[in-house]
Amino acid sequence: MADDKPICEICGTEIVVGDLCANETEMGMVHAECLAGAPVVNDEGEETDAPLFTYRWDGKP
């Protein structure tokens, strides 16, 4: 549905415009803070030393 609000699958709260987010490989968009301490993986699923890619959610799907 177009009116569904995104929910962070980790903390269970709504993701609102301007929230700092990241994509988790199985859950999709979540709050970046909720991934604190979790390993970062590359496209092949291997752990990497690369920083976590984060972005401000703009409300667009």
Side-chain angles (χ1 to χ4, degrees):
M1 266 187 202
D3 61 338
D4 285 341
K5 296 181 177 163
I7 303 294
C8 175
E9 294 292 326
I10 297 173
C11 69
T13 62
E14 182 180 349
I15 297 174
V16 297
V17 172
D19 279 357
L20 187 61
C21 297
N23 289 334
E24 201 280 332
T25 54
E26 295 179 6
M27 294 182 246
M29 181 174 62
V30 297
H31 292 117
E33 184 177 313
C34 293
L35 289 175
V40 175
V41 297
N42 62 20
D43 291 339
E44 288 80 37
E46 299 167 344
E47 284 190 37
T48 177
D49 291 335
L52 179 66
F53 175 76
T54 61
Y55 55 93
R56 296 272 174 201
W57 189 58
D58 61 6
K60 297 176 185 173

